[in-house]
Amino acid sequence: MVSILTPVVAHIFWCALLYALLTVARAPAVWGVGRNTDGSNPFQNIQPKISANLSNQFEWPVFFHVLCVMLYVEQSAVTSTMMLMAWVFVIGRVLHSLVQICSSNVRIRGLVFTINFLAVIAMWVLFLFEM
């Protein structure tokens, strides 16, 4: 059986990738690497979106991470439904990032966030009923 910490690790790797992407987007402004011929940053429009999304990765996901640690301790509460919701959450976070960084569509971003939100709420409800 896959550990409940596997989706947590996947989310951590996703955050690490976002940090790397942010570093690349800031490189022209910070180090001068990859500047346009006029000296401007070619990523100036996308850099704030990456930064905002990275901040989002440390808001609602905290409730997911705390619960997963609790589930790891109380292995008997980890069900296939719980694992499914954990992966729905992680996949939803990736989709949320892609929508926020690559578009300005607040409706789709809100829909994806709602899926993330409900997945974690469902996990907490299931956990509390198990306890």
Side-chain angles (χ1 to χ4, degrees):
M1 182 175 192
V2 176
S3 170
I4 191 66
L5 294 182
T6 305
V8 173
V9 171
H11 183 247
I12 291 168
F13 278 118
W14 179 248
C15 291
L17 180 66
L18 289 171
Y19 271 114
L21 189 59
L22 184 60
T23 300
V24 169
R26 287 183 173 168
V30 175
W31 298 302
V33 176
R35 281 188 189 155
N36 287 330
T37 54
D38 65 358
S40 65
N41 182 350
F43 307 113
Q44 67 188 18
N45 293 332
I46 199 168
Q47 183 269 322
K49 291 180 176 185
I50 299 167
S51 183
N53 184 262
L54 195 51
S55 292
N56 292 157
Q57 299 302 327
F58 297 96
E59 294 169 355
W60 186 245
V62 168
F63 297 103
F64 170 72
H65 286 261
V66 167
L67 178 58
C68 287
V69 169
M70 293 168 61
L71 286 167
Y72 183 75
V73 170
E74 186 56 53
Q75 285 291 315
S76 64
V78 179
T79 63
S80 58
T81 302
M82 197 70 82
M83 287 298 295
L84 175 65
M85 290 296 100
W87 282 112
V88 165
F89 174 78
V90 172
I91 292 166
R93 292 314 297 171
V94 171
L95 292 174
H96 183 265
S97 294
L98 295 174
V99 170
Q100 186 172 12
I101 294 168
C102 299
S103 80
S104 297
N105 193 325
V106 178
R107 281 188 179 174
I108 292 176
R109 198 171 111 211
L111 176 63
V112 174
F113 174 80
T114 301
I115 292 167
N116 291 293
F117 178 82
L118 292 176
V120 174
I121 291 295
M123 288 177 72
W124 272 102
V125 168
L126 289 171
F127 178 74
L128 292 174
F129 278 121
E130 285 292 318
M131 303 308 348

